[in-house]
Amino acid sequence: MTDTVICGTIGLDDIKTPFGIKKATLGGSVVYSAFASSFFKKPGIVSIAGKDLSKENLALLSRVDLAGLSFGKKTFRWQGVYEYNMNEAKTLKTELNSLAGFSPNLPPSYKNARFLLLANIDPEIQLKILKQVNPKALVLIDSMNFWIENKKEALKSVIKKADIVLFNDAEAREFFNTPNLIRAGRELLNLGPEYAIIKKGEHGALLFSYDRFFSAPGYPLEVLKDPTGAGDSFAGGLIGYLSCSDKINEAQIRKGIIYGSVIASFCTEGLGLENLIKIKLKDIKERYEVMRQIREF
Ligand code: AMP
């Protein structure tokens, strides 16, 4: 039985940053999220890839359960470029390919999952997953500007059904048409979720709940090579930590946010997945302790 299910994209990414270039490298929201989550427990993924996915790429996915993976013709492709402001990816091209006709089917072994991360993917696919999963599952949802601009109403419907919603700062501003992140956080809660998290790239994250507020620092990195997948790793780290917690409350979510930030910091230190592949839980725990010291005053 799979306790943590993550639905999102498997992609072949072309990435260009001031520090390097990667072509057709394995990426996608479910890949980064599931890698991050797998430091805690092996998650199951729901996604679609294409027949063009190499054996090496499939081998990389061996640390996650693939019962919910299907195959179409061509893998989703994304081309992004970063300039010196590494908080903002410029999307040059998005090719949905097999994702365009994807109708997800939850394998029986996933149906009783207690944790569901709807990572960045078409919100209509997110809604289809929500109809199939255990109604008591804790639901986290993440998205991006592409879906805000193309499927805002469907995305709103998903947010209304989620327990925890994650946006980055630019997405939150765009969704609510406001420059103010505190207002955007409050508006997110007004849609229904119990918690709203706004990620601020290398500068940390904000957590909003009905009557409380938490501001998490970013890990002080001197080397930041490629932010691709940082948001997805953050979400995966958070749900991975929560899946190992005895109960879900704000204190645990705060800790999960720190784990998510730490894993995201490792992710950004390498191009594509290269650093996430190398690190161990021990490395993550060391940085978690540094984060605890940063917060003391
Ligand atoms: P992040 O940097 O965490 O926002 O996510 C980067 C990953 O998102 C890349 O590996 C892309 O393959 C994937 N991606 C890019 N555009 C989309 C999209 N419209 N829907 C889902 N995933 C996407």
Side-chain angles (χ1 to χ4, degrees):
M1 281 299 162
T2 300
D3 200 30
T4 308
V5 170
I6 306 181
C7 172
T9 52
I10 290 186
L12 290 172
D13 294 343
D14 294 336
I15 305 166
K16 190 171 170 209
T17 88
F19 307 101
I21 291 179
K22 281 243 175 195
K23 289 224 179 268
T25 189
L26 181 66
S29 59
V30 86
V31 172
Y32 285 101
S33 308
F35 260 67
S37 176
S38 72
F39 290 107
F40 300 94
K41 253 188 208 172
K42 189 173 188 170
I45 64 168
V46 181
S47 192
I48 188 162
K51 300 218 166 74
D52 50 351
L53 205 69
S54 68
K55 277 197 185 122
E56 291 75 22
N57 285 338
L58 277 171
L60 281 175
L61 293 175
S62 63
R63 58 200 277 172
V64 305
D65 184 297
L66 299 179
L69 176 63
S70 38
F71 284 88
K73 249 193 190 156
K74 271 188 90 186
T75 304
F76 170 81
R77 301 282 315 236
W78 177 72
Q79 237 178 59
V81 61
Y82 301 84
E83 283 158 11
Y84 274 96
N85 173 6
M86 300 274 266
N87 276 335
E88 211 181 316
K90 282 207 182 89
T91 294
L92 299 181
K93 209 177 188 184
T94 304
E95 287 176 22
L96 296 177
N97 298 331
S98 53
L99 196 67
F102 180 45
S103 192
N105 251 326
L106 220 60
S109 56
Y110 289 12
K111 296 228 163 155
N112 291 323
R114 291 182 308 135
F115 299 90
L116 173 66
L117 169 58
L118 296 169
N120 179 24
I121 195 167
D122 185 336
E124 284 172 16
I125 294 176
Q126 294 177 321
L127 282 170
K128 285 183 183 159
I129 295 283
L130 274 172
K131 286 196 183 127
Q132 299 173 51
V133 85
N134 166 14
K136 289 194 184 138
L138 182 89
V139 178
L140 275 74
I141 178 246
D142 192 16
S143 195
M144 78 180 280
N145 57 353
F146 185 87
W147 304 113
I148 297 175
E149 285 151 28
N150 292 299
K151 298 212 174 168
K152 190 166 181 180
E153 282 315 306
L155 181 54
K156 228 183 230 176
S157 308
V158 188
I159 294 173
K160 285 182 183 164
K161 295 187 166 78
D163 299 291
I164 304 179
V165 57
L166 297 117
F167 264 141
N168 74 25
D169 41 8
E171 291 153 4
R173 289 187 175 109
E174 182 172 355
F175 195 92
F176 293 107
N177 200 14
T178 172
N180 188 297
L181 292 183
I182 306 299
R183 174 170 293 180
R186 294 275 154 235
E187 298 258 10
L188 273 172
L189 291 181
N190 287 341
L191 288 176
E194 200 172 341
Y195 298 97
I197 296 171
I198 299 185
K199 301 165 283 176
K200 298 189 296 169
E202 60 190 306
H203 303 300
L206 305 174
L207 169 69
F208 300 84
S209 60
Y210 172 67
D211 55 356
R212 292 179 64 105
F213 175 76
F214 172 63
S215 172
Y219 184 84
L221 274 184
E222 286 188 31
V223 179
L224 202 165
K225 270 197 190 157
D226 173 17
T228 307
D232 307 316
S233 314
F234 178 100
L238 169 61
I239 200 158
Y241 175 76
L242 292 179
S243 72
C244 295
S245 309
D246 294 340
K247 50 183 174 206
I248 306 301
N249 54 28
E250 201 203 317
Q252 292 301 89
I253 294 174
R254 286 185 182 207
K255 288 181 187 159
I257 286 177
I258 301 297
Y259 273 110
S261 301
V262 163
I263 299 175
S265 76
F266 280 113
C267 176
T268 61
E269 278 177 309
L271 280 170
L273 280 170
E274 67 186 10
N275 219 28
L276 277 192
I277 292 168
K278 286 189 213 143
I279 59 164
K280 302 268 176 285
L281 187 59
K282 170 179 127 312
D283 305 309
I284 295 168
K285 288 195 165 158
E286 273 170 26
R287 275 198 185 173
Y288 181 89
E289 281 313 311
V290 175
M291 291 286 259
R292 191 197 297 284
Q293 286 159 23
I294 290 174
R295 283 232 63 88
E296 272 173 13
F297 60 89

